[in-house]
Amino acid sequence: MQQQYRAFAQQAPQRSPHATARRGGIGPMMSAGPHPAVPLTQAQMAQQQQAQVQAAELAKRRSRKPTDKNIPDGIDDSIVNPESAQRYRDLRDIERLLDATITRKRLDVLDNTQHPTKLTKTLRIWITNTVQDQVWQGNGPTSDSFDFSGAAEASYRVKIEGRLLDDEDQNKSKDPATDRVKEDNDHIMDEGQVKKEKLNATADKLKLSHFFKAMTVDFDRSRFRNGAEQSVEWKKPDAAMRQPNAPNLPAAADFDEITFKRNGDENANITINMFRQEIPERYQFSPELADVVDMKEGTQQEAVMGLWEYVRQRGLQEDEEKRNFRCDELLKQVVRGEVGFIPMLNEYVAQNLRPLPPIALPYTIRVDEDFHRDPQPTIYDIQVTTDDPLRASLQELINNPQYLAMLKDISGLDEQLARLVQAVSASKAKHTFMKSLGDDPATFVKNWLSSQKRDLEVIMGEGSNGGDNGYGDEWRRGGSNSVWATQTARESVNVLLSRQR
């Protein structure tokens, strides 16, 4: 009896509201399952076989390539000039010493380029201001004049100039005007040579905008209602932020001085805020982190290394679980817990980093007549970090294309030397063979036959019977029925001969 099944009416398939639109195309998409490989043509198969044969031949050549460059022992007695062998050995010792020294120095140079050192230099900043159309300059309207249409509003112009000082510039004058006067006295020398030297000296110097990513000028708001409107702001473009050492920077990111003009006829106090740009970026540490690493500011990597050194020197790492460490009173404030996790040192440090405060340079804008009779600039010296100038030279040394060509030439010379040494070794073996045969032929032949017998026993896998010294008929007999004509002996002899090549 067949089972009865209830028939359900089939509903029309409905499209899901979350389904994406159908992709356009000329046909259905390929399924995700495995697909049969496309059969290769005869030409492709022949090409693959040829490539495999060439690769095997290259590997075979490399395996047979001689590498020993040491001359055999006892060669001094077989050559005309025995001193040449000793000189060759001395040269080989010097070559090993030079190779070790060059390799060590190259590794040191590579490490220095990967972990560059920073140099601290002085950035000197001059701040000056000039005035225009002030009352005491006599350009304003008089009491007897009733025409005010042509009167200009009093204004001032502030200039901020910066220059990176060299070591020899520390003892020079701090006034750029005085330096210009000294430079004018160089007419005694050749003017063309002086100009060339100055251009070469200033071309490599970093400009003021290189060391800062933003500058703002804040006016004293207590004296000006519109102090916020008077503010001046400069920000480095994003392209220059990503590549500060690019060769062709825009004018807005490559300058030595910046000026701004405002209207006013009274002295004003301003504060110039300069936000530093450093690679890698430096931060201000929180008081808790500063107590642990004994630094108030630095990079994040320096803080992580200092935190790890603190844990290691005080033996706070757990014995059973090396990834954990116990926290003392100082670490509890940094980690904010009783136990710390070494892979999370970066996170512990990151939550204790603060942006560096800007460098604040106060300045008073003077518009009075007494000051401008003999104006003096306000000078500040700021310590900045720069890359080691030797790094570029070291980078060129490492990436020098001639180095690879030189290594290729040296490798070719080494191969030639190895072949010559191999030829010398073969000549030495022939010389020893002939000399031994000439001194005592009977004993030599007897020993040679015994040696051949032992070699054949090793090849055939048989032990020595101890009674036959190589004069038996089985060793003397040749032909197709002798032991030397067996397949095992042939294969073993071919293996030994291929190894000697």
Side-chain angles (χ1 to χ4, degrees):
M1 182 176 181
Q2 297 181 355
Q3 298 182 359
Q4 300 294 329
Y5 295 97
R6 181 180 178 182
F8 291 90
Q10 297 183 357
Q11 298 180 357
Q14 297 181 359
R15 186 177 181 84
S16 172
H18 303 289
T20 57
R22 182 181 181 274
R23 292 183 58 183
I26 60 176
M29 297 179 63
M30 186 177 291
S31 62
H35 306 288
V38 179
L40 299 178
T41 61
Q42 294 292 336
Q44 292 176 345
M45 295 175 62
Q47 186 177 5
Q48 286 186 358
Q49 292 178 358
Q50 185 178 3
Q52 293 177 358
V53 171
Q54 292 179 356
E57 183 65 23
L58 290 176
K60 191 175 181 179
R61 290 181 181 178
R62 287 193 297 266
S63 63
R64 294 180 179 180
K65 185 181 299 184
T67 57
D68 188 11
K69 294 180 288 185
N70 296 320
I71 58 176
D73 297 333
I75 196 68
D76 302 5
D77 302 333
S78 305
I79 58 178
V80 178
N81 188 7
E83 296 180 356
S84 60
Q86 185 60 37
R87 287 199 295 267
Y88 177 81
R89 296 189 184 95
D90 296 339
L91 289 176
R92 285 284 296 159
D93 295 338
I94 295 175
E95 182 187 14
R96 295 189 189 95
L97 181 61
L98 288 177
D99 289 343
T101 304
I102 292 174
T103 303
R104 185 176 68 253
K105 292 297 182 182
R106 187 172 180 82
L107 292 176
D108 293 341
V109 170
L110 185 62
D111 183 70
N112 290 334
T113 54
Q114 293 178 352
H115 305 87
T117 57
K118 295 289 185 177
L119 302 180
T120 302
K121 291 191 175 183
T122 301
L123 178 67
R124 183 161 294 172
I125 296 179
W126 294 269
I127 307 175
T128 58
N129 75 278
T130 58
V131 294
Q132 186 178 4
D133 298 326
Q134 297 293 329
V135 176
W136 54 269
Q137 291 178 321
N139 297 329
T142 61
S143 58
D144 297 334
S145 176
F146 294 96
D147 185 10
F148 298 94
S149 59
E153 189 173 0
S155 62
Y156 52 82
R157 185 183 299 272
V158 179
K159 181 174 72 171
I160 305 170
E161 182 181 0
R163 188 181 68 177
L164 189 65
L165 301 183
D166 294 332
D167 295 337
E168 60 271 12
D169 293 338
Q170 300 291 340
N171 299 326
K172 289 186 178 180
S173 172
K174 291 188 176 182
D175 191 351
T178 306
D179 292 339
R180 296 190 187 99
V181 173
K182 293 181 180 179
E183 293 173 359
D184 294 338
N185 296 330
D186 292 336
H187 295 307
I188 302 175
M189 300 175 60
D190 185 12
E191 293 183 359
Q193 181 179 1
V194 172
K195 290 182 179 179
K196 185 176 180 180
E197 291 178 356
K198 290 178 181 178
L199 289 175
N200 294 335
T202 56
D204 298 335
K205 285 189 176 180
L206 300 175
K207 296 187 177 182
L208 173 66
S209 58
H210 175 82
F211 300 99
F212 303 100
K213 58 185 177 181
M215 295 185 192
T216 61
V217 180
D218 297 334
F219 286 76
D220 187 4
R221 298 187 180 184
S222 61
R223 299 190 58 185
F224 298 95
R225 300 179 186 177
N226 57 346
E229 299 176 0
Q230 292 274 0
S231 298
V232 179
E233 183 177 358
W234 167 82
K235 186 177 181 181
K236 184 177 290 187
D238 294 338
M241 289 284 291
R242 292 190 296 267
Q243 297 180 350
N245 297 323
N248 298 321
L249 292 175
D254 190 23
F255 57 83
D256 276 329
E257 63 179 43
I258 182 173
T259 60
F260 64 90
K261 182 180 179 181
R262 292 292 185 271
N263 297 328
D265 56 359
E266 295 182 358
N267 297 340
N269 295 324
I270 62 174
T271 302
I272 303 171
N273 300 313
M274 312 182 80
F275 297 85
R276 288 170 285 191
Q277 180 186 5
E278 296 178 337
I279 300 176
E281 188 174 0
R282 296 174 62 84
Y283 300 92
Q284 183 182 17
F285 300 156
S286 64
E288 296 81 7
L289 181 60
D291 293 339
V292 174
V293 300
D294 198 18
M295 292 186 296
K296 294 184 178 180
E297 61 181 40
T299 63
Q300 184 173 359
Q301 183 180 4
E302 292 174 350
V304 172
M305 291 300 298
L307 193 60
W308 162 244
E309 289 293 334
Y310 183 88
V311 172
R312 186 176 61 85
Q313 290 181 359
R314 282 162 176 76
L316 301 177
Q317 195 173 7
E318 292 185 356
D319 298 332
E320 298 180 356
E321 183 58 51
K322 295 294 184 180
R323 294 181 299 174
N324 299 341
F325 60 90
R326 301 178 301 275
C327 296
D328 55 8
E329 295 300 327
L330 294 178
L331 283 178
K332 288 179 182 178
Q333 301 178 7
V334 176
V335 178
R336 300 173 186 176
E338 298 289 338
V339 179
F341 196 47
I342 291 179
M344 296 180 63
L345 289 180
N346 274 308
E347 299 181 10
Y348 299 147
V349 169
Q351 61 187 0
N352 288 276
L353 300 180
R354 308 290 183 269
L356 282 176
I359 300 174
L361 306 178
Y363 178 72
T364 300
I365 301 175
R366 300 289 297 273
V367 298
D368 55 288
E369 183 179 1
D370 296 337
F371 174 79
H372 286 279
R373 289 175 183 173
D374 186 17
Q376 297 294 331
T378 301
I379 301 174
Y380 293 96
D381 285 342
I382 300 175
Q383 300 298 319
V384 295
T385 58
T386 60
D387 292 333
D388 193 346
L390 294 177
R391 183 187 180 189
S393 302
L394 297 178
Q395 197 73 31
E396 294 178 358
L397 178 63
I398 293 177
N399 300 329
N400 189 3
Q402 297 179 356
Y403 178 74
L404 296 178
M406 181 184 65
L407 288 181
K408 187 175 180 181
D409 295 341
I410 292 176
S411 178
L413 294 175
D414 286 341
E415 291 180 5
Q416 296 179 11
L417 182 60
R419 293 192 186 98
L420 292 175
V421 170
Q422 186 182 29
V424 170
S425 300
S427 300
K428 174 66 169 56
K430 292 180 181 178
H431 179 270
T432 304
F433 181 87
M434 296 300 179
K435 187 176 183 301
S436 301
L437 180 61
D439 293 342
D440 190 359
T443 305
F444 177 80
V445 171
K446 181 179 179 181
N447 295 335
W448 182 73
L449 290 176
S450 299
S451 175
Q452 293 296 314
K453 178 183 176 182
R454 288 193 299 269
D455 293 342
L456 183 59
E457 289 177 354
V458 172
I459 292 173
M460 301 297 295
E462 300 175 358
S464 177
N465 52 15
D468 196 351
N469 293 326
Y471 293 98
D473 294 336
E474 56 179 337
W475 309 110
R476 297 173 181 269
R477 186 175 64 252
S480 59
N481 297 326
S482 65
V483 294
W484 297 99
T486 59
Q487 186 66 22
T488 303
R490 289 180 179 179
E491 292 179 358
S492 301
V493 170
N494 290 333
V495 170
L496 292 177
L497 292 178
S498 63
R499 289 180 180 178
Q500 292 178 0
R501 293 177 188 174

